[in-house]
Amino acid sequence: MRQQDKMFDVICMGRVAVDFYGQQIGSRLEDMSSFAKYLGGSSGNVAYGTARQGLKSSMLARVGDEHMGRFLREELNRLGVDTSYLITDKERLTALVILGIKDEDTFPLIFYRDNCADMAITADDVDEEYIASSRCLAITGTHLSNPKTRDAVLTALRYARKHGVRTALDIDYRPVLWGLTSLGDGETRFIESGAVTDQLQEVLGLFDLIVGTEEEFHIAGGFTDTLQALNGVRKATDAVLVCKRGAQGCSVYESQIPDHLDGAINATGIRVDVLNVLGAGDAFMSGLLRGYLNDESWQQACDYANACGALVVSRHGCAPAMPSKEELDDYLSRAESVARPDLDTKLNHLHRVTTRDKSWGDLCILAFDHRSQFEQMAQDAGVSVSRISPLKQLILNAYQESVDELGLQGQAGLLCDSTYGQAALNQATGKDWWIGRPIELPSSRPLVLEHGNIGSQLVSWPQEHIVKCLVFYHPDDEQGLRVEQEKTLEEVYLACCQSGHELLLEVILPKDLPQDETNYIAAIERFYELAIKPDWWKLPALTASSWSQLERVIENQDPHCHGVVLLGLDAPQEQLIEGFANARASSLVKGFAVGRTIFGDASRAWLAGTIDDETFKNQIKLNYQTLISAWQQTA
């Protein structure tokens, strides 16, 4: 099989685990009170990182038949990593790692790997045809530490050599995983061991590429002097050796080891403030493999590798910190002018928007996040506001039945609040629906957040929930009011950037100020001037010329913006449908997010007791499905 016809660019074989990262930077691990959950494990990180760099990656490992194993599979699948040989182990649990960040030199780490799933892989799990289907097999050193996993690795290497598959080793030396430290000492990076050196040297000759830090080459070569160690490795293999040298960058030794470390191909490091060194080596390997497998020069491959590593050490976590291909290419295209990539606004924005794991086409969103409107309906009907929660549950049921009947999975969404709709939100979460959730105090101007500080709110939100913020804003607002509202929006946007939640910004012109459509465009331009770049906009229907003008603004300011959904403003159904045609002509508009036009009359009747649950649901479904049909017919 020709290399260009291979199914995969790289198969990653080795550790895959769940990382629990302490969120209190500077604390001892003993004092950590909350943790972020990420995909981890050296091979899992490399599969993830290479996929972000545009390679066709596959994962060869085992995970448990439980929530954490499913999480790892789903995370890899979201990125397009093949998991057909990520085996579900019915008898063992997925490996876990607990990590903390004390300071730039202290990273407490505990591996929970006793009889874990990924260490149970055997030679029988390795399929020859599968290995032959890849251009490269990438191994990490941990799997050489155990007889069973070592046999599996040697089997995979034998198939790779037989079929002309390139082989790469990340030495990835963790003394604790070789049984050289106490179980809780995952932080120690180097302990001399002749036994480990012997076991590594037995297999070094099976690799075309070997990558490691200076200390990792010390263990592989059997010397604590780096040049001597490199020569010790060279005696065992003809592989290209890539030595990572921290802030100095890296060096590549293609043949004979020179008499000083700089006597090879050298790529200088990149200055960043170090937050977290854990995962930097996996990022380095991901960038290096991009260049290596695309047959680029070693200088270029090392530039990719150094930049990937530098970006990851400045961020929290391993896999989620990996840069995308677009992000990395942007940085390298202007590296000379970017003194600190970790502080670069454009790079940070690109990381946010190019690593999204979900894209949307048409969206037909049922909005029932209203609070004051439902309260007024209940008051008018003479009933308690406690009736609003079951009402919202019925609306959700009507929504779900409509999605199922029309086959709208992936093309439907909802807006719901936590004040009266928490039960509905809980039921909707996890179904792969678009879910938006409001944060503003209804009708507030200046903008006030309903539940106080945005940062404290988002800590408890599911990651899939989209922050929806409605602001009554006009470019002609009095300066004090305008500045106050802009400051609140800046805080909301920065909180979303920090938490990773997407932001939908809904803009409505106050009724007592000029309603010309150009004011919407001016308002959006102003928000971009403030570096507020929401993932979504929610706007009323505009004319065709205004949509064209808005397209130019958004394409210029944030081409990665998901787009616009149309709001309803309680307009008659016929009026909304009229606005669909102009909106459809714009690639910017992804659908509608309409509420009272769909549920208004039916809700008033249900609260008044003049219709029963089933009649109410049927009316909601009819109105919702009528708008869906109208939107689809304008395509």
Side-chain angles (χ1 to χ4, degrees), residues 283-299:
F284 180 97
M285 189 68 169
S286 299
L288 190 75
L289 286 173
R290 170 186 167 181
Y292 176 57
L293 295 177
N294 287 329
D295 296 318
E296 298 183 71
S297 70
W298 283 115
Q299 188 68 54

Side-chain angles (χ1 to χ4, degrees), residues 205-217:
L206 299 175
F207 292 96
D208 301 308
L209 172 66
I210 298 173
V211 181
T213 62
E214 291 189 55
E215 289 179 333
E216 286 170 338
F217 275 106

Side-chain angles (χ1 to χ4, degrees), residues 46-57:
V46 173
Y48 196 93
T50 50
R52 276 200 172 165
Q53 286 302 307
L55 297 182
K56 295 177 292 183
S57 306

Side-chain angles (χ1 to χ4, degrees), residues 13-15 42-43 139-146 150 153 169-174 178 200:
M13 182 180 185
R15 289 192 289 120
S42 54
S43 291
I139 306 291
T140 53
T142 301
H143 271 34
L144 297 170
S145 66
N146 176 282
R150 186 183 182 90
V153 167
L169 171 68
D170 187 339
I171 300 170
D172 186 39
Y173 180 45
R174 302 283 185 165
W178 288 82
L200 288 174

Side-chain angles (χ1 to χ4, degrees), residues 400-617:
Q400 180 158 9
E401 289 178 15
S402 296
V403 170
D404 293 341
E405 291 170 11
L406 298 179
L408 284 179
Q409 189 66 29
Q411 294 182 290
L414 57 98
L415 275 166
C416 184
D417 62 295
S418 60
T419 304
Y420 298 110
Q422 186 64 60
L425 280 174
N426 293 345
Q427 183 178 333
T429 301
K431 295 182 182 292
D432 203 29
W433 292 338
W434 188 103
I435 301 174
R437 184 168 163 179
I439 59 171
E440 76 282 349
L441 185 68
S443 303
S444 60
R445 176 169 153 85
L447 173 64
V448 175
L449 304 188
E450 183 176 24
H451 300 296
N453 179 271
I454 182 64
S456 61
Q457 294 182 52
L458 296 183
V459 169
S460 63
W461 280 34
Q463 200 64 49
E464 68 192 87
H465 287 189
I466 295 166
V467 176
K468 172 255 178 178
C469 185
L470 163 60
V471 60
F472 293 95
Y473 181 96
H474 199 285
D476 295 338
D477 279 337
E478 179 270 330
Q479 183 179 7
L481 171 62
R482 180 170 56 79
V483 169
E484 181 177 353
Q485 297 211 114
E486 290 172 352
K487 183 176 184 295
T488 302
L489 289 175
E490 287 178 306
E491 292 173 354
V492 168
Y493 175 66
L494 291 175
C496 290
C497 290
Q498 180 69 26
S499 69
H501 289 87
E502 293 190 2
L503 171 64
L504 178 148
L505 186 52
E506 178 176 0
V507 184
I508 296 178
L509 299 177
K511 291 181 179 179
D512 59 342
L513 290 172
Q515 298 294 299
D516 189 279
E517 289 182 355
T518 58
N519 290 312
Y520 279 106
I521 296 167
I524 290 172
E525 287 179 324
R526 174 59 182 164
F527 296 142
Y528 280 130
E529 286 177 7
L530 296 169
I532 298 171
K533 297 185 176 183
D535 304 270
W536 300 88
W537 294 97
K538 188 181 179 194
L539 301 170
L542 304 175
T543 61
S545 60
S546 292
W547 283 127
S548 295
Q549 189 175 350
L550 190 58
E551 272 187 24
R552 290 191 293 272
V553 171
I554 293 178
E555 179 64 29
N556 181 57
Q557 295 291 336
D558 184 16
H560 291 283
C561 177
H562 281 304
V564 176
V565 290
L566 298 175
L567 55 81
L569 287 177
D570 201 17
Q573 196 174 81
E574 298 76 17
Q575 183 178 330
L576 287 179
I577 292 172
E578 286 177 12
F580 284 176
N582 284 335
R584 264 294 191 186
S586 171
S587 60
L588 190 65
V589 182
K590 293 297 180 68
F592 62 81
V594 173
R596 285 171 290 171
T597 305
I598 296 172
F599 67 69
D601 291 341
S603 295
R604 280 184 280 269
W606 185 86
L607 288 167
T610 60
I611 60 174
D612 61 16
D613 292 358
E614 198 62 30
T615 302
F616 173 74
K617 280 202 312 179

Side-chain angles (χ1 to χ4, degrees), residues 112 127 181 188 224 270 279 353 395 404 427 434 495 511 540 572 598 617-619:
Y112 289 82
D127 181 81
T181 71
T188 295
T224 55
I270 296 166
V353 298
I395 295 175
D404 293 341
Q427 183 178 333
W434 188 103
K511 291 181 179 179
I598 296 172
K617 280 202 312 179
N618 288 335
Q619 288 188 19

Side-chain angles (χ1 to χ4, degrees), residues 374-385 387 604 607-609:
F374 279 110
E375 290 166 353
Q376 185 63 53
M377 290 181 191
Q379 181 179 332
D380 292 345
V383 299
S384 168
V385 293
R387 297 287 289 155
R604 280 184 280 269
L607 288 167

